[in-house]
Amino acid sequence: MAEGVLEIESAKSGELTPAVYEHPWPVRFCHWVNTVALFVMVGSGLQIFRAFPSFGAKIPQKDLLDWPKAYALGGWLGGGLQWHLTFMWIYMATGIFYLGYQVFSGNYRQVLFMPRDLRGVWPMARHYFFFGPKPPARETYNPLQKLAYTSAILLGVLSVLTGFAIWKPVQFSWLAWLMGGFHLARVWHFAVMWAILFFVFGHLVMVVLHGWNNFMSMLTGWKKDPEYTPR
Amino acid sequence: MPSRTNQRGFKRMNRRELLKLTPVLALGAFAIHKLQEPLLSAGLGFSDWASRLMFRKHHLAPTFADSELTPFEKFPINDYDVDDPEVDLDQWALTVTGEVQKRGDYTLAQIQALPKIQQNTRHVCVEGWDVIGRFGGTRLSEFLKMVGADPTARFISVKCEDGYYESLDMATAMHPQTLLCYEMYDQPLTREHGAPLRLNVPTKIGYKQAKYLTDLKVTHIIEKAGGYWEDQGYSEFYGL
């Protein structure tokens, strides 16, 4: 897509810097709405969890952990539920808009992890975690990135499905059944949250490591001086 | 060949792209103190509206084998005030008012004369725990038929001996698993579990299962959100 590639000419030296349009606005829009929505969903979800911080029986109740009130949103269970039941619609709407856009625009090719990406995962992981040589960058996302983002999207879908299983265990009893019953569905919903938080943590570390131009690309779409040769 | 621009042109383009994200700032409305409450109550209202659409009047809540029951002594006793509001069981009657043909007081014997249903269903608390209990009673729909309730009325509201109050939408009240419950685990209700009469609604969250019933009203309108916890900010519909 040649229309997404530019050369920026410096007024002083006449030097040319390449720039590439990496993120179409629907992707950026969904990314930032989702940033807020995830923050609210996790914060209010932990508030809801505080009401019964256990996965066992009510009698006798054995608490799993004592989550501090300061790190939960909504003030009390009712408040947490209000935030959760409001933002889940924003969370789902962004998710549906995002998936729809990716599929119908064909932009999903940029991010969807495919079997051919498999062999590129280990060299990239070796580079990040064990100081291996840096594999040459060829496209917007490297294979490890595609794996991470594709997993994150799947986790998003799972968070919605597990959520529905515990919010509507009668109307969607088949969902709860798929997850091993209502009781286990609540465990899955909690586990999916931690998996998403694990992704977010890794994501933030990478954002810090990759600097300003990379960060700006999620705001403006344009990445100045990319690591790969734009096609 | 890539097109060429200068640094100013690139900056201008970036600014334009950044402006496309300004709608995201609308979420900031949730941070404004004055707007927060109306926005969240609109969100909760939207959830309730969606829940009403998801409710299917013939779809049954899962039922369970006797072996899956939570032991009776491990079925939690939950109140907003007291475990035992000291109902005078000898004098007790259910006072029926509102959009019905036969208003008046109904004794437990009259209610127990209606066909009896027994079901093992899940009781889900808004806090997150759940138990499977055995409930016995008569269908609320049978009782409503007996008293000649107006089927076009929108709600059933109940009052309790301890001051608690609740309401159900008519579709849920007519659901075949919605019981006027006078037995748990094949025994008459204990005082702590709501003697002599409580609601058992397997398609609803726990706080809808009001205990120690004293009054039942068939009505087109409910005040505020129609229940003790609902009036504190919980979901009005909360169908499972």
Side-chain angles (χ1 to χ4, degrees):
Chain A
M1 40 184 257
E3 71 273 17
V5 182
L6 271 180
E7 280 176 340
I8 311 157
E9 193 173 7
S10 164
K12 279 182 199 150
S13 59
E15 200 185 331
L16 292 175
T17 311
V20 57
Y21 191 62
E22 284 190 339
H23 312 297
W25 78 262
V27 171
R28 284 177 283 140
F29 177 79
C30 291
H31 175 274
W32 292 112
V33 171
N34 200 41
T35 305
V36 178
L38 252 187
F39 180 81
V40 171
M41 290 309 276
V42 170
S44 56
L46 287 166
Q47 183 72 257
I48 296 167
F49 180 70
R50 287 186 78 252
F52 181 62
S54 166
F55 292 106
K58 176 66 180 171
I59 301 176
Q61 181 175 336
K62 287 196 191 89
D63 287 355
L64 187 71
L65 57 107
D66 184 13
W67 190 265
K69 200 171 184 161
Y71 298 103
L73 187 69
W76 66 300
L77 173 58
L81 279 165
Q82 286 176 2
W83 283 98
H84 215 68
L85 293 180
T86 299
F87 269 76
M88 69 178 196
W89 300 106
I90 297 171
Y91 183 67
M92 287 192 287
T94 348
I96 289 166
F97 176 53
Y98 173 84
L99 290 175
Y101 171 78
Q102 293 287 44
V103 169
F104 288 111
S105 70
N107 192 58
Y108 70 89
R109 290 183 201 94
Q110 184 187 55
V111 63
L112 184 66
F113 183 80
M114 298 290 277
R116 68 181 140 77
D117 295 312
L118 202 59
R119 62 203 165 95
V121 171
W122 171 242
M124 213 59 224
R126 192 176 50 190
H127 167 65
Y128 281 132
F129 298 109
F130 306 106
F131 307 102
K134 183 164 191 171
R138 295 176 211 284
E139 45 191 331
T140 314
Y141 299 138
N142 69 54
L144 189 63
Q145 266 181 304
K146 286 188 191 176
L147 180 62
Y149 298 153
T150 303
S151 309
I153 292 159
L154 281 177
L155 285 171
V157 172
L158 274 179
S159 68
V160 170
L161 293 179
T162 52
F164 264 97
I166 54 180
W167 186 47
K168 295 276 172 245
V170 171
Q171 305 306 329
F172 296 101
S173 47
W174 56 275
L175 259 184
W177 178 83
L178 273 180
M179 288 158 199
F182 171 81
H183 211 86
L184 269 180
R186 188 167 170 263
V187 180
W188 287 122
H189 195 57
F190 192 69
V192 167
M193 177 197 70
W194 287 108
I196 290 175
L197 286 179
F198 178 74
F199 163 80
V200 169
F201 173 77
H203 185 57
L204 290 179
V205 169
M206 288 303 183
V207 167
V208 169
L209 290 180
H210 285 86
W212 187 249
N213 285 347
N214 179 62
F215 173 73
M216 280 310 282
S217 73
M218 195 39 93
L219 284 168
T220 67
W222 288 94
K223 184 185 273 179
K224 219 167 143 183
D225 208 7
E227 287 177 323
Y228 54 95
T229 316
R231 280 174 293 160
Chain B
M1 267 298 284
S3 27
R4 198 168 283 187
T5 183
N6 55 24
Q7 281 164 323
R8 268 180 64 189
F10 188 63
K11 253 190 189 145
R12 208 178 305 126
M13 201 169 57
N14 278 343
R15 207 171 299 136
R16 209 164 46 227
E17 290 294 330
L18 196 56
L19 280 174
K20 289 184 190 169
L21 295 188
T22 44
V24 179
L25 296 176
L27 288 174
F30 281 93
I32 299 168
H33 194 71
K34 257 178 121 173
L35 295 177
Q36 200 176 79
E37 212 180 284
L39 279 173
L40 291 178
S41 85
L44 195 65
F46 181 78
S47 280
D48 277 352
W49 172 81
S51 297
R52 264 179 211 107
L53 291 184
M54 284 182 240
F55 178 79
R56 290 168 287 164
K57 55 184 179 182
H58 298 299
H59 181 78
L60 298 181
T63 51
F64 301 88
D66 289 348
S67 59
E68 292 171 282
L69 288 174
T70 304
F72 178 68
E73 61 279 10
K74 292 195 174 178
F75 194 105
I77 293 161
N78 252 44
D79 322 280
Y80 89 113
D81 189 16
V82 288
D83 282 355
D84 178 8
E86 293 168 14
V87 178
D88 183 351
L89 295 176
D90 298 327
Q91 296 294 312
W92 183 90
L94 184 67
T95 305
V96 178
T97 57
E99 311 297 324
V100 295
Q101 283 159 8
K102 292 175 249 175
R103 295 182 190 180
D105 289 355
Y106 290 84
T107 63
L108 193 57
Q110 282 174 293
I111 293 164
Q112 286 174 335
L114 294 167
K116 183 174 173 184
I117 302 287
Q118 286 182 302
Q119 56 194 16
N120 297 350
T121 49
R122 193 191 299 278
H123 176 97
V124 181
C125 181
V126 66
E127 291 177 346
W129 50 265
D130 63 293
V131 284
I132 294 167
R134 179 164 176 78
F135 304 90
T138 188
R139 287 191 174 126
L140 179 55
S141 63
E142 290 282 352
F143 182 77
L144 291 174
K145 205 164 72 186
M146 181 174 88
V147 300
D150 176 357
T152 68
R154 293 180 58 206
F155 303 101
I156 305 296
S157 70
V158 294
K159 285 187 199 162
C160 311
E161 184 71 31
D162 60 348
Y164 195 71
Y165 55 102
E166 255 308 337
S167 63
L168 295 174
D169 51 288
M170 188 54 95
T172 303
M174 298 304 284
H175 188 271
Q177 287 172 313
T178 300
L179 304 185
L180 281 178
C181 164
Y182 46 79
E183 273 183 10
M184 275 174 72
Y185 294 79
D186 300 315
Q187 298 294 321
L189 281 185
T190 61
R191 287 180 172 275
E192 292 77 16
H193 284 297
L197 195 68
R198 70 176 301 174
L199 288 177
N200 171 230
V201 196
T203 58
K204 289 282 194 199
I205 197 74
Y207 60 77
K208 290 272 183 191
Q209 332 278 324
K211 308 194 284 189
Y212 341 100
L213 302 182
T214 58
D215 294 76
L216 188 150
K217 188 177 176 186
V218 178
T219 174
H220 295 292
I221 39 165
I222 44 171
E223 282 169 39
K224 293 216 279 180
Y228 175 80
W229 285 112
E230 290 87 332
D231 287 343
Q232 320 294 315
Y234 280 21
S235 155
E236 182 188 319
F237 186 83
Y238 219 138
L240 297 178

